[in-house]
Amino acid sequence: MKNIFIFVFILCFANFFSQNFSVGGSIRDASNGETVIGATILLKEVNKSAFTNQYGFFSISAPKGKYTLIISYIGYKTITQEFDLDKNTTLNISFSPAETNLNEVEITTKAADQNVNNTQMSSVQLDMAEIKKIPAFMGEVDILKTIQLLPGVKNAGDGNTGFYVRGGGPDQNLILLDEAPIYNASHLLGFFSVFNGDAIKNVNLIKGGMPAQYGGRLSSVLDISMKDGNNQHFQVEGGIGVIASRLTIQGPLVKNKGSFIISGRRTYIDVLAKPWIERSDFKGTSYFFYDLNAKFNYIINDKNRLFLSGYYGRDKFIFTDVEGDFKTKIPWGNASGCLRWNHIFNSKLFSNMSAVYTNYNFSFGATQDDFEVIIKSGISDYNLKYDLNFFPNSRHNIKVGANYIFHVFVPTSVSAKQGETIFDLGKTIKLYAHDAAIYVSDDWDISQNFKINAGLRFGNFTQVGPFTRYKKDAFGKINDTVTYKTNEIVANYNGLEPRFSARYSLTKTASLKASYARNFQYIHLATISSVSLPTDVWMPCTEVIKPQESNQYAFGFFKNLKDNMFETSVEVYYKTMSNQIEYKEGAQPSDNVFDNPDNAFTFGKGWAYGAEFFVKKSMGKFTGWIGYTLSWTWRQFKEINYGEKFLAKYDRRHDASLVLTYDATKQWNFGMVWVYGSGNRGTLPNGFFLYEGSLSNDYGLRNSYQFIPYHRMDLNVTFSPDRTKKLEKRKQVLIAKYKEEGRDTTHIVVTKKWSKNFSNSFTLSLFNVYNRYNPYFIYLTREGDFTKGTLKVGAKQVSLFPILPSLTWNFKF
């Protein structure tokens, strides 16, 4: 074993110090200065290739010699450049979209064969141009709704942006917006996501085989990158829809050096509904949400670049019952900010340093007469991270980094008063924790056919004071307290997280892949509802709450057809999860008064397994994909369901999606989505019994009832008027007229420029085309008298959305 290790070590590092030179740098879009993610860089003579990373950086090595460098990306003009590689060289390259009119071009896809050649499996990249063609609810482009159309990702039903990946819960997904974690990604109690598509550049979803640089969640990573802003010219785009409007402005701070982008969105449901509400007993009731994205960046020199990005969004719901003198306010939202520094040391070494702040809070306030109650919960993070990307030679891509987060948790806290009397419900509980991690990984080309990515992550999580632990006796009564001082250790956990993936190329267009990943999760979300409410509680690991742990194994076959026009894959997976968290039977978040929130939880295990099938067409007038998932998701808790295993509420045996878009002409585009899923699961009464004179429910086993299957079809059509022909014709008429009058015609060029820069489109969408009544929830009705034997019990289904049309006008200039 020792000799084998020495051999592998020598094989791995022998090439590090060979007489190779490297060429590296960054790739940008010449039309707007945006970095290009996933561009292919090829040294023709040695057939060595590399891809730009998430920051647009690349590095490739070869022996001294004369080479042809080819840079390509779908939708862009290929760059071919001959050069002598006789020293390490740094290049910053800009290349142009293939179309003549640069302003009309959008990045359309990643490098065509990345899905086959990369070691990464269980991963899908989507760009906004692709997402915007897909039918959207009420015309609002939604990233989260789109990823739910992918195999292995399940939605929670209508009116919910929560998503479940390979048997995991919604809190087990790491959602990043420009490296800032987003703890609640929904507006309108789950009907819309917080991401404004006009401000987003790239979306990357990782469902398994998570690389070592990511951690803190069990199931998936959704890494979303904002646009950097156009550093060539000013640009405005936006849209006016049925319930919301949005506006984005971007442009250069200093041409070719710095840029900005500011994007805002707001609903006007409150404005549209006000005339009807003001004439009812609910005068003063309103709801709206808004969000704001902003980003600034500046290129200091060829080796240094600074970024500052931020997000702020709020939902505000106010309910007023004038007759009952009752009023409630429910505001919630996220705020985040990220200061980032990219530095290129040389053609082989790239670094990124980030300082990140993120906050999420949820509040519920209610007043009646002179009584007032407020319930709050939230979480804030202060985060520092540093990442290095080292390319010692063309066979190795090494990443190392460190990350530190200081968490401040505010579990559900309650305050109340009546008139001038303030009720003593205890102090607002705040929990503090340090969360640190280091990692290393290597993407290693062992041979032309065999490639591996091996990584190791080490995490340490420490809950610290101030903190008070309430001790309970056998009857659940508090009989003692333990007080911890500021920064005194309350609980400490750490663990190693090995990550491994491998790819074996069968042919140039086919490969086999396998992966294994162990993940620890040190923060948890306990909820008694499927949507975001004040009862949702973010909690750290404590003496009572242990870290969640998962081990996922996956194997897949990947094949591209017809010059990469079609991507196909089949993946199977098996995942185990320990220390899963749920509320105890009958527990409520309000029980936290004079108690520790973690005393209301119970813990168990889970496991999931399944197969995913995916076919995608990414070129031509017809594009889209077909996805199908066959899966099982189980849970088992000692204090739930009599200790017996049960299927999770989001277990779906069958889940299928069909997504199609058709570019009929330059003016007309059509889109279609069809989804099918086995029904969600729930717990309903099996019968009733009398207890102390009252009729009580006798519930069945946990999640033993299955709802009817969910299926739905959405359609859209987009019309983009061709202003160029119309305005060019008008221009020629004006030129002829001006010449006839002997007037100067040169200023008419302005009209031509405007016609090239301005574009607009109208999108008509139909949600739920065949008016399917999909279940949102089921409630029971009772008629008659149980004691007289005349009781009749019925079940009624509540559905949210019938067929819904919407019209959106989008513009850009």
Side-chain angles (χ1 to χ4, degrees), residues 794-810:
K796 291 191 176 182
Q797 173 184 299
V798 175
S799 301
L800 286 182
F801 303 121
I803 182 172
L804 286 176
S806 63
L807 181 64
T808 305
W809 177 54
N810 297 300

Side-chain angles (χ1 to χ4, degrees), residues 282-551:
F282 306 111
K283 182 178 180 180
T285 298
S286 70
Y287 168 81
F288 64 91
F289 72 75
Y290 62 89
D291 42 38
L292 178 69
N293 296 80
K295 189 171 184 178
F296 304 86
N297 78 91
Y298 187 76
I299 301 172
I300 300 172
N301 52 43
D302 288 344
K303 293 183 180 249
N304 295 279
R305 189 172 186 179
L306 290 175
F307 301 83
L308 177 63
S309 61
Y311 168 83
Y312 185 84
R314 281 292 179 271
D315 289 67
K316 291 189 177 182
F317 174 69
I318 300 173
F319 175 79
T320 302
D321 182 356
V322 177
E323 185 176 337
D325 194 23
F326 175 78
K327 186 175 184 179
T328 182
K329 293 182 179 180
I330 309 178
W332 73 95
N334 301 275
S336 69
C338 178
L339 177 62
R340 196 170 81 230
W341 170 38
N342 286 173
H343 176 66
I344 300 175
F345 289 93
N346 52 51
S347 59
K348 293 187 175 184
L349 186 60
F350 172 87
S351 73
N352 177 73
M353 178 182 286
S354 301
V356 182
Y357 169 78
T358 187
N359 167 267
Y360 167 70
N361 61 69
F362 203 130
S363 176
F364 174 90
T367 60
Q368 188 166 26
D369 298 326
D370 62 345
F371 179 77
E372 179 181 353
V373 62
I374 298 175
I375 304 174
K376 292 183 178 180
S377 65
I379 181 173
S380 296
D381 288 350
Y382 304 85
N383 184 359
L384 286 173
K385 62 192 294 285
Y386 187 68
D387 305 282
L388 283 170
N389 206 172
F390 178 47
F391 302 84
N393 55 53
S394 60
R395 289 187 178 272
H396 292 272
N397 178 357
I398 298 173
K399 296 179 180 180
V400 297
N403 184 32
Y404 167 76
I405 305 173
F406 179 63
H407 298 284
V408 180
F409 300 84
V410 182
T412 303
S413 62
V414 184
S415 62
K417 69 177 182 177
Q418 187 164 13
E420 299 299 321
T421 303
I422 299 176
F423 298 95
D424 183 12
L425 301 177
K427 296 181 180 179
T428 298
I429 299 174
K430 288 189 177 182
L431 305 178
Y432 304 90
H434 301 285
D435 188 349
I438 56 174
Y439 73 88
V440 59
S441 69
D442 184 13
D443 207 34
W444 178 19
D445 274 315
I446 296 177
S447 68
Q448 186 173 355
N449 292 333
F450 190 47
K451 185 176 184 179
I452 67 171
N453 185 300
L456 186 64
R457 184 181 181 91
F458 176 77
N460 182 279
F461 188 91
T462 306
Q463 185 198 357
V464 297
F467 176 71
T468 301
R469 167 62 62 187
Y470 295 94
K471 300 288 186 177
K472 292 186 174 184
D473 59 23
F475 303 99
K477 301 294 184 181
I478 297 172
N479 60 7
D480 194 13
T481 60
V482 179
T483 301
Y484 296 86
K485 298 178 181 179
T486 300
N487 289 323
E488 185 177 356
I489 295 177
V490 179
N492 178 261
Y493 301 96
N494 56 64
L496 284 172
E497 303 175 44
R499 314 284 175 82
F500 178 84
S501 59
R503 179 225 70 201
Y504 182 77
S505 296
L506 301 172
T507 66
K508 289 183 178 181
T509 60
S511 64
L512 295 174
K513 297 184 184 183
S515 70
Y516 165 75
R518 177 188 295 163
N519 292 69
F520 287 103
Q521 182 166 330
Y522 299 102
I523 66 173
H524 322 269
L525 181 68
T527 178
I528 57 176
S529 173
S530 61
V531 296
S532 299
L533 294 172
T535 51
D536 290 358
V537 177
W538 282 101
M539 287 288 297
C541 285
T542 64
E543 294 173 286
V544 176
I545 304 175
K546 310 302 180 185
Q548 298 182 56
E549 179 183 350
S550 74
N551 290 274

Side-chain angles (χ1 to χ4, degrees), residues 16 25 61 197-198 203 205 214 331 368 376 397 412 468 474 502 543 579 592 626-627 637 655 674 676 682 732 754:
F16 280 18
S61 300
D198 290 345
V203 179
L205 173 68
Y214 297 110
Q368 188 166 26
K376 292 183 178 180
N397 178 357
T412 303
T468 301
E543 294 173 286
N579 298 323
N592 296 343
I626 301 173
F637 290 79
D655 197 80
W674 182 78
Y676 174 89
Q732 295 302 326
W754 171 263

